[in-house]
Amino acid sequence: MQNISDIISTVEFNHTGELLATGDKGGRVVIFQREPESKTEPFSQGEYNVYSTFQSHEPEFDYLKSLEIEEKINKIRWLPQQNAAHFLLSTNDKTIKLWKVSERDKRPEGYNLKDEEGRIKDISTVTSLQVPVLKPMDLMVEVSPRRVFANAHTYHVNSISVNSDYETYMSADDLRINLWHLDITDRSFNIVDIKPANMEDLTEVITAAEFHPHHCNLFVYSSSKGTLRLCDMREAALCDKHSKLFEEPEDPSARSFFSEIISSVSDVKFSHSGRYLLTRDYLTAKVWDLNMESKPLETYQVHDYLRSKLCSLYENDCIFDKFECAWNGSDSVIMTGAYNNFFRMFDRNTKRDVTLEASRESSKPRAVLKPRRVCAAGGKRRKDDISVDSLDFTKKILHTAWHPNENIIAIAATNNLYIFQDKLNSEMH
C-alpha cells in the first residue's frame, strides 16, 4: 500500500542538469545529484543519487477561513547558480520559500574562548592565544530557508517562474499573477488579475504561467478555456490586456459536453529558444509559434483512444488530471505523460512518435525501453498491444522533466522516480 504523502507532485532539473529535485505530497523536497564519471569507466555516465532531503512545508490551518492548507509541494524552480551554493524556490498552495543548499567539508578548531564542546571558557583560564584552523570533516549538505514569501495569494498557487533577470520571479494562482523580487518578502506586485467583480460571472481560471527564457518583460499564462495570453510588462503595470492571444477556433461539429473540460490547458512551456510554446490539454500536446496566434503549428495526439471513454473518465475524475509537458534540450522532441505508467514522445522533425513505459524493469541499467502500443476499443489487436479497456488509470504520469542538454529524462510515476539515461535515441529514430 503506497503512502499518500510519498506521491511525487513535482520534478525539476537545475540549469546544468547536475541536480534534480522532487517535491511530494508530504511537503518534502528530495534533491538528487549526478555522480561524476568514474575514472575506470570513462564512458559510464554518472547515476543520480540522493544528495539531500528536507521538509519544505508543513500542514497549516487558516483560522479566518477555516481551511486546511496542504503541505503538498506544487512546484519547484531552481535559480541559476552564481556561487558554490544552490538556491531553489518551492511552493505549496499558499507560501513560497527560497532555500539555500550548500556543502560543508571543513570545520574550525582551536578556538580561544570555547572548549572542544563549544562551551564558553572562563576568560581567566586563557593563558595563551592560538590561531583557529580549518580541519577536514565528512561532507555535510546543509539546507536553510533564506526567504518566506507569504500572504499574497487568496487562491491556490499553481505556478512559479524565475525571470531571466534572475532578480524577480512570478507566482500564479487561479485568478491572479504576482511579481516578486527575490530579496523582498513583504510585498509583491499584482501583474494579472482576472477576478470578476461578481464571482458568479467567473468563466475561466489561470492554469499555468511562465516567463520568457530570454526577454525579462514577456510572460505567458494559460487558461481553463484553452487560451494562451502573452503579456508584455513594458506596456502597463497591470497586464490585464494581453499583447497576443493564442486560441484555436473550435470545430462546432466536434462539440460535446466534455469539450470545455478537455480543452483546458494544464501546462505551458517556452522552448529553450524562446520562439515556441508547448501546451498540454487532456488529449493533446500542441506547439505554438509566437508569431502565429490563429492556430497551433503542430498538434500531437497523446491518447486519442480515450475519446470514447470520456464519460467514465469524467465519473472517476480522471478527466481533471493535469499532465505536464517538457522540451528536450534542442527543442526537437517533446515529452508528456499518460496513463498506465506510459509516457509519450514526439519528434518534431521526423514526425515519429513513441509510447514508452516507466517500470522497475525498464529502469534497470542495461534494460532497453520497449515501445508500447494501445489498441482502441473495437480495433484490431496485434501481439503485445494493450487494450484501452485494460489501462490502469490510477497509474498516471503527470510530472516529467528533461535534462537541459542531454538525453536524460526524469519520470514521476506516483511515488516512484524513474531516471532514464541515453535510452531514447534508438526509440525515436
Side-chain angles (χ1 to χ4, degrees), residues 4-7 9 22-30 54-59 70-74 90-92 97 99:
I4 296 289
S5 67
D6 291 338
I7 293 175
S9 51
T22 64
D24 66 22
K25 284 199 170 179
R28 289 179 300 268
V29 172
V30 181
F54 62 96
Q55 189 72 31
S56 172
H57 288 70
E58 302 279 357
E70 272 190 308
E71 65 272 41
K72 171 184 161 228
I73 308 295
N74 291 343
S90 63
T91 186
N92 67 349
K97 296 183 181 181
W99 296 90

Side-chain angles (χ1 to χ4, degrees), residues 58 64 123 135 218 271 273 364 402 418:
E58 302 279 357
L64 287 173
I123 294 177
K135 291 277 183 73
L218 295 177
S271 62
S273 67
K364 286 173 183 164
W402 204 311
Y418 297 105

Side-chain angles (χ1 to χ4, degrees), residues 75 77 158-164 169-173 176-179 191-192 194 205-224 226-233 239-247 265-271 274-280 286-293 325 327:
K75 283 286 182 287
R77 289 292 179 264
N158 56 45
S159 305
I160 48 177
S161 177
V162 180
N163 201 348
S164 59
Y169 75 92
M170 68 176 170
S171 55
D173 66 23
R176 297 190 181 102
I177 300 175
N178 293 334
L179 179 69
I191 51 174
V192 172
I194 65 165
V205 294
I206 298 166
T207 54
E210 190 175 62
F211 269 119
H212 190 283
H214 313 303
H215 300 303
C216 61
N217 52 292
L218 295 177
F219 67 92
V220 68
Y221 68 92
S222 57
S223 89
S224 55
T227 59
L228 302 173
R229 289 177 175 87
L230 185 75
C231 300
D232 189 339
M233 292 192 290
C239 299
D240 284 357
K241 290 189 172 63
H242 50 265
S243 303
K244 290 192 173 189
L245 174 70
F246 299 85
E247 186 174 19
V265 175
S266 53
D267 195 19
V268 57
K269 294 270 170 61
F270 273 103
S271 62
R275 170 74 188 266
Y276 303 104
L277 288 165
L278 169 62
T279 62
R280 173 69 208 264
K286 293 173 181 165
V287 174
W288 300 77
D289 187 324
L290 282 196
N291 300 332
M292 186 170 79
E293 298 152 71
C325 49
W327 296 90

Side-chain angles (χ1 to χ4, degrees), residues 155 173-176 192-195 199 202 204-206:
Y155 307 99
D173 66 23
D174 298 331
L175 297 179
R176 297 190 181 102
V192 172
D193 187 344
I194 65 165
K195 184 176 185 277
M199 282 296 268
L202 183 70
E204 65 180 330
V205 294
I206 298 166

Side-chain angles (χ1 to χ4, degrees), residues 255-267:
R255 180 150 183 82
S256 73
F257 171 74
F258 304 109
S259 295
E260 208 164 288
I261 304 172
I262 62 172
S263 67
S264 175
V265 175
S266 53
D267 195 19

